[in-house]
Amino acid sequence: MAPRKKPATKYHHGDLRAALLSAAWTAVTKKGLESLSLRSLAETLGVSHAAPAHHFKDRNALLEALRAEAFRRFADAIEAGAKTGELDGMGVSYIRFAMEHPRQMQLMLREGETELGPEVMEQSMRAWQVLVSAVATQIGPTRAADERELHSMALATWAMVHGLAGLWTQVRLPPGVPKSGPDAEGLQRRAIATLLAGVAHPPRR
Amino acid sequence: MAPRKKPATKYHHGDLRAALLSAAWTAVTKKGLESLSLRSLAETLGVSHAAPAHHFKDRNALLEALRAEAFRRFADAIEAGAKTGELDGMGVSYIRFAMEHPRQMQLMLREGETELGPEVMEQSMRAWQVLVSAVATQIGPTRAADERELHSMALATWAMVHGLAGLWTQVRLPPGVPKSGPDAEGLQRRAIATLLAGVAHPPRR
DNA sequence: TGTACATCAGTGAACGCGCGTTCACTGATGTAC
DNA sequence: TGTACATCAGTGAACGCGCGTTCACTGATGTAC
């Protein structure tokens, strides 16, 4: 093996902190938030159950770090989706992320009993800015100049994609509705397009 | 006290089963699903911790009954909202229910590891039928005759109100967005109206 | 109306579970000399 | 290069916690006679 020269310290394990986060991500994907325990993570990594305490003050600290990671990946996905320049491309990215990582989405949405960490705040504001920009492009500079209008349309769009994601990841849909695949995505795109038609021809206030 | 003549048997406690469900509803409202335990419920009711076992096989059985109750109340609320004859009235009812009972909503949406109970199936189908009917009225009989079109628009509407409910109950909204009150409801109504404008003037497929 | 009996909701002790957390420790690693 | 030391990640035993679940029981209620 070539000599590793990792930036992080690597005494016994190598980089237990990162390994814990990575294992936690996988475990959440597989088993959900509820089943996630420090002890099971330690066991997975072949490390004593007390080891994680050296890297995370307590269970919540690990969860908060995991949440930040989820927000980071989410904001990245949104940003990448918006790169196409199309608002509905961003919407599709949003829904796709939620469908691929439903439990992480659940973690992100968990009501924080305490304040949100700065990392989480930053990433979610980033995603919001991307959304607002895309909506501004969609409605054109004249309407976008009205901030209330701009935010109103951004919220409507957000709600639509958020709702679609929620329906497909959490709700037992009625029989006949495709659960996944191109048919599902077609339905989702159609819903977004319907909203955007309304955005283009807004109802009189 | 007038002599009670309840239909249910009432040996020692009176009707522990109903009391458990009622206490569970309250506890979920206050503390959330996670903190709900049979032991704490028993304590609340001044009954031994083993008593609930006589009425619910296990914790999951109680949760399933509670879930059915939530779906029943939810479907009632949706139906009442649709009585006004307006689709957006139903939407407002949907969002209002979610905002008043966010934790129950969470319970309703919890992925069932097992099959859904018949009661839950029935109530959620009832709500879906109400939605489809309201959408049919909205788009008129000609378009409603196309079932794909009808269901597509119903899903879009559902996603919108579901998303709005999710945003306001689970998401830390950006600064400046009203959290509750008439301003919040105004924004929600506006989003629904925007979608309905799109429903009225659908994008070309 | 009264009595004997059956039913079964509720009791309280006990069990085992996985969990988070603490603690003094140990031993591999990095560093100063 | 070699040695002595400091650091600190990881150990393993122990603690207390609330939990669901079981069990033989007890005693209030409903019912048959």
Side-chain angles (χ1 to χ4, degrees):
Chain A
M1 288 223 291
R4 289 171 293 166
K5 41 173 179 175
K6 290 222 184 130
T9 56
K10 49 177 173 84
Y11 295 96
H12 299 83
H13 177 278
D15 191 355
L16 185 56
R17 191 193 141 90
L20 281 167
L21 278 177
S22 166
W25 183 275
T26 306
V28 164
T29 298
K30 282 193 199 148
K31 313 275 251 162
L33 272 179
E34 320 305 318
S35 327
L36 188 73
S37 76
L38 294 178
R39 285 180 107 106
S40 63
L41 286 181
E43 194 185 12
T44 299
L45 295 173
V47 119
S48 87
H49 62 261
H54 284 271
H55 300 278
F56 297 100
K57 192 178 115 265
D58 54 23
R59 189 177 184 274
N60 258 333
L62 183 139
L63 246 44
E64 189 56 32
L66 198 63
R67 173 134 99 159
E69 171 72 16
F71 267 103
R72 214 174 304 122
R73 296 201 202 185
F74 171 74
D76 284 351
I78 295 305
E79 210 165 51
K83 280 268 170 55
T84 69
E86 294 173 4
L87 180 52
D88 67 343
M90 203 188 70
V92 169
S93 294
Y94 190 114
I95 298 170
R96 189 171 295 153
F97 183 91
M99 289 181 76
E100 285 172 358
H101 307 292
R103 316 241 206 201
Q104 277 80 5
M105 206 72 184
Q106 194 181 325
L107 170 62
M108 289 162 64
L109 292 177
R110 244 164 68 113
E111 317 159 57
E113 50 282 358
T114 65
E115 273 304 297
L116 275 66
E119 172 82 8
V120 166
M121 287 286 271
E122 188 188 332
Q123 299 300 330
S124 55
M125 284 308 291
R126 172 156 74 101
W128 168 249
Q129 293 302 343
V130 170
L131 170 62
V132 170
S133 298
V135 170
T137 304
Q138 185 81 17
I139 64 181
T142 311
R143 281 175 71 199
D146 178 354
E147 198 174 71
R148 278 175 50 90
E149 170 77 2
L150 176 60
H151 284 179
S152 175
M153 292 301 105
L155 274 170
T157 308
W158 187 4
M160 174 56 83
V161 295
H162 187 73
L164 288 167
L167 290 193
W168 261 271
T169 56
Q170 299 192 77
V171 172
R172 188 79 52 114
L173 293 170
V177 177
K179 306 287 181 268
S180 61
D183 284 356
E185 189 170 318
L187 264 173
Q188 294 159 5
R189 282 185 181 279
R190 181 106 198 281
I192 296 174
T194 303
L195 173 67
L196 294 187
V199 168
H201 306 286
R204 65 162 179 272
R205 299 221 210 185
Chain B
M1 289 226 294
R4 289 170 295 168
K5 42 173 179 177
K6 291 224 183 124
T9 55
K10 50 176 173 82
Y11 295 95
H12 299 82
H13 177 278
D15 192 355
L16 185 56
R17 192 192 139 91
L20 281 167
L21 278 177
S22 166
W25 184 276
T26 307
V28 165
T29 298
K30 283 192 199 151
K31 313 275 252 165
L33 272 178
E34 319 306 318
S35 328
L36 189 73
S37 76
L38 295 177
R39 285 181 107 105
S40 63
L41 285 181
E43 193 185 13
T44 298
L45 296 173
V47 119
S48 86
H49 63 262
H54 285 269
H55 300 279
F56 297 99
K57 192 179 114 264
D58 54 21
R59 188 176 184 273
N60 258 334
L62 183 140
L63 246 43
E64 189 56 31
L66 198 63
R67 173 135 100 160
E69 171 72 16
F71 267 102
R72 214 174 303 120
R73 296 201 202 186
F74 171 74
D76 285 350
I78 295 306
E79 211 166 49
K83 281 267 170 56
T84 69
E86 295 173 4
L87 181 54
D88 66 344
M90 204 190 68
V92 168
S93 293
Y94 191 113
I95 299 171
R96 189 172 294 154
F97 183 91
M99 287 180 77
E100 285 172 358
H101 308 291
R103 317 240 207 201
Q104 277 80 6
M105 206 73 185
Q106 196 183 322
L107 170 62
M108 290 162 62
L109 293 177
R110 244 164 68 112
E111 316 159 56
E113 49 281 1
T114 66
E115 272 303 297
L116 274 67
E119 171 82 9
V120 166
M121 288 286 271
E122 187 187 332
Q123 299 301 328
S124 55
M125 285 306 293
R126 173 158 72 99
W128 168 249
Q129 293 301 344
V130 170
L131 170 63
V132 170
S133 299
V135 169
T137 304
Q138 184 80 18
I139 64 181
T142 311
R143 281 175 70 198
D146 177 355
E147 198 174 70
R148 278 175 50 90
E149 169 78 0
L150 177 59
H151 284 180
S152 175
M153 292 299 106
L155 274 170
T157 308
W158 188 4
M160 173 56 83
V161 296
H162 188 73
L164 288 167
L167 290 193
W168 260 271
T169 55
Q170 299 191 79
V171 172
R172 187 79 53 112
L173 293 170
V177 178
K179 306 287 181 271
S180 62
D183 284 356
E185 190 171 317
L187 264 173
Q188 293 159 5
R189 281 186 181 278
R190 180 106 197 282
I192 296 173
T194 303
L195 172 67
L196 294 187
V199 168
H201 305 287
R204 62 164 182 270
R205 299 221 210 184

